[in-house]
Amino acid sequence: MINTIIVKDYDEMSEKAAEEICKVLSCKKNAILGLATGSTPIGMYENLVKKYENGNIDFSEVKTVNLDEYVGLEKDHDQSYRYFMDFNLFDKVNINKENTHVPNGNAVDMEEEAILYEKIIDSLGGADIQVLGIGGNGHVGFNEPDDKLSLYTSVVKLKDETIKDNSRFFDSIDDVPKYAISMGMASILKAKKILLLASGENKAKAIGELLNEKAVTTKNPSTFLGLHHDVIVIIDEKAAKYVKR
Ligand code: PGA
């Protein structure tokens, strides 16, 4: 079931998202957090760091599992998702880095890495809450619209529109990796709760399809979230442009 919260803007979305994470941590100190990268959750991480600095949350027993990683970037490349997570959260709170998991995009055998990563998710028992952004094309993680969607963690070829969207973070579009490793749809749906965030008009079409159509389609992978029993969608007014109220 999807519960939708429409807020004014990015800042309010970020505050509300951090509150949802805090609710989970207040019930379970050793929660498993499923985390996402991209521009959308940065404000949520800022709020979480503030709450940590004010003594309101404690990450000492938390474990994390991230959605995805580019293939071929070094871990310390400033666009790698491991770097993103260290910079935006892990280096700023009292988390034990050994308890943080991001797929290795530089493994010698990427197929083997995908299998190992899915085993990590299972050994943790799935995330207590999985944070998701959404692509303008409806992708979640790097599960791109297609005839088929992967169930489990796998190596995926990025769509041209995703490469173009993400090129804003790189010096040139040619520098954007063409492949990534991503949790699959079933890996995501293993989470006990899912928190999807979206801000801005470029997400409005995908969000409209997710919330209005009450059907699943591989053309918009986010629609598979409708199969989960506990999803919270927090979106701002611009992303909610086409949502029927
Ligand atoms: P964004 O990306 O947060 O940078 O908009 C979201 C996504 O592509 O999943």
Side-chain angles (χ1 to χ4, degrees):
M1 200 185 112
I2 300 184
N3 285 307
T4 307
I5 303 174
I6 300 175
V7 296
K8 190 168 53 100
D9 56 18
Y10 180 83
D11 288 346
E12 199 182 344
M13 178 200 76
S14 302
E15 281 164 26
K16 284 231 165 356
E19 280 163 22
E20 291 299 330
I21 302 285
C22 284
K23 275 189 218 162
V24 173
L25 291 180
S26 66
C27 296
K28 194 175 174 190
K29 275 188 79 166
N30 61 348
I32 312 297
L33 302 182
L35 299 176
T37 54
S39 49
T40 307
I42 290 177
M44 179 192 76
Y45 292 132
E46 284 169 359
N47 277 276
L48 287 173
V49 169
K50 263 189 233 144
K51 285 175 191 290
Y52 164 73
E53 287 170 351
N54 293 335
N56 297 328
I57 40 174
D58 171 23
F59 288 86
S60 60
E61 294 177 37
V62 168
K63 294 184 180 162
T64 67
V65 62
N66 259 77
L67 273 177
D68 48 15
E69 176 62 284
Y70 287 119
V71 169
L73 294 188
E74 294 298 330
K75 281 188 180 144
D76 56 359
H77 188 290
D78 65 5
Q79 291 308 324
S80 82
Y81 289 166
R82 164 52 76 178
Y83 182 95
F84 175 104
M85 289 310 306
D86 287 348
F87 180 79
N88 287 292
L89 185 68
F90 301 154
D91 285 342
K92 297 179 175 165
V93 298
N94 64 335
I95 199 160
N96 177 350
K97 284 268 187 86
E98 283 176 16
N99 290 334
T100 68
H101 303 281
V102 180
N104 177 5
N106 267 320
V108 177
D109 183 339
M110 286 304 301
E111 305 300 329
E112 179 71 17
E113 171 64 16
I115 292 167
L116 286 175
Y117 199 72
E118 195 69 30
K119 284 192 179 150
I120 291 174
I121 299 167
D122 288 340
S123 71
L124 295 170
D128 289 293
I129 185 165
Q130 174 67 55
V131 179
L132 297 176
I134 181 170
N137 64 5
H139 75 203
V140 286
F142 274 125
N143 295 284
E144 299 278 31
D146 216 326
D147 293 336
K148 286 184 193 173
L149 299 175
S150 292
L151 287 175
Y152 303 111
T153 305
S154 62
V155 176
V156 291
K157 187 171 188 332
L158 302 184
K159 293 275 180 196
D160 289 345
E161 65 250 39
T162 298
I163 291 175
K164 193 161 157 266
D165 277 354
N166 290 4
S167 66
R168 68 192 195 278
F169 300 116
F170 290 82
D171 290 340
S172 94
I173 196 161
D174 296 332
D175 294 337
V176 184
K178 308 289 179 287
Y179 290 87
I181 175 169
S182 176
M183 284 189 196
M185 296 312 302
S187 336
I188 291 170
L189 293 170
K190 283 175 188 173
K192 295 178 185 71
K193 189 182 194 82
I194 292 176
L195 174 61
L196 182 133
L197 308 176
S199 165
E201 204 170 327
N202 62 329
K203 307 294 170 72
K205 183 175 165 288
I207 289 288
E209 286 166 8
L210 164 65
L211 297 178
N212 296 335
E213 292 186 13
K214 313 268 183 286
V216 295
T217 168
T218 60
K219 305 284 180 252
N220 178 340
S222 75
T223 58
F224 279 73
L225 301 181
L227 299 171
H228 194 279
H229 64 284
D230 188 2
V231 181
I232 305 179
V233 172
I234 306 180
I235 49 179
D236 67 7
E237 285 289 348
K238 287 184 176 157
K241 186 174 174 188
Y242 303 122
V243 175
K244 291 192 189 127
R245 315 215 187 169

